[in-house]
Amino acid sequence: MRKITSRSRTGYAVAASSLLLLTAASGATAVASADTTAETFGHGHHRPHTTYPTQQEIREQFDTWNDALATLDPEQVADLYAPDGVLLPTLSNRIRSDRDGIVDYFEHFLEKHPVGEINESHVDILSPTSAVDSGSYTFTLTEDGVTSTVDARYTFVYEKNTRTGEWLIVSHHSSANPEG
């Protein structure tokens, strides 16, 4: 049961997305733009001093992750994930739901010297401390002098650590694009 019930952050992200859709459908507005420092709810009511991340700030999290891949240090990559973060990796069928599993995956993945490049990104700011980036990316892999590419879809769910200000990956799904 732990694997289902401990994913409250991911559940929160899904619930928040649903709430935003319901809010939009009812005609109320919730605004979170790149420069927003206050929320607008319904009929112009404001809750001041709430700072939302920009879409660019969230997109830059991928650059941080890709730079960590370049170090070829699986511990450094794993440091970007929340302690209870979940990884559904591109090149493995095994779900990684703890640091040891995430490190294990990256020990093998980094042997291929991956370099990722975003092809398409869709960022959803859910709150001042949570966001989702979904889209497609291409990995260039080099193994034994042979270079190949993998086109994949991704979703990163980020949560900001309010003590440190650091964005952590709480859920990361990556899957190779199906053919066709």
Side-chain angles (χ1 to χ4, degrees):
M1 284 299 184
R2 178 195 175 285
K3 291 184 180 186
I4 294 171
T5 59
S6 71
R7 301 296 149 220
S8 61
R9 289 187 191 119
T10 303
Y12 169 74
V14 170
S17 295
S18 298
L19 180 61
L20 287 172
L21 289 173
L22 288 172
T23 302
S26 71
T29 58
V31 178
S33 68
D35 298 321
T36 299
T37 56
E39 297 175 69
T40 304
F41 295 95
H43 303 286
H45 299 284
H46 294 278
R47 185 169 59 199
H49 309 299
T50 303
T51 303
Y52 281 80
T54 64
Q55 289 186 350
Q56 184 60 33
E57 180 180 358
I58 298 306
R59 284 189 178 105
E60 288 171 358
Q61 300 311 306
F62 176 81
D63 296 332
T64 300
W65 182 80
N66 204 32
D67 290 346
L69 293 181
T71 69
L72 303 180
D73 179 355
E75 298 283 341
Q76 190 167 338
V77 178
D79 287 345
L80 300 176
Y81 290 78
D84 61 346
V86 175
L87 170 63
L88 285 74
T90 313
L91 301 180
S92 172
N93 292 330
R94 197 170 115 220
I95 296 171
R96 314 305 169 112
S97 60
D98 61 22
R99 182 179 175 84
D100 289 341
I102 291 170
V103 168
D104 177 68
Y105 174 74
F106 283 109
E107 284 175 350
H108 302 288
F109 186 61
L110 293 177
E111 291 173 351
K112 301 174 188 322
H113 301 270
V115 177
E117 182 179 342
I118 297 280
N119 302 318
E120 185 174 342
S121 171
H122 301 273
V123 172
D124 293 309
I125 308 298
L126 302 177
S127 78
T129 59
S130 61
V132 178
D133 181 6
S134 299
S136 66
Y137 50 23
T138 299
F139 283 105
T140 301
L141 308 174
T142 305
E143 191 171 24
D144 298 325
V146 177
T147 300
S148 63
T149 59
V150 175
D151 292 319
R153 300 169 291 185
Y154 72 86
T155 298
F156 286 96
V157 179
Y158 297 103
E159 186 173 273
K160 189 173 192 176
N161 180 322
T162 56
R163 287 175 309 160
T164 66
E166 176 184 30
W167 286 96
L168 295 174
I169 302 165
V170 296
S171 183
H172 175 194
H173 177 211
S174 181
S175 57
N177 287 343
E179 291 189 35

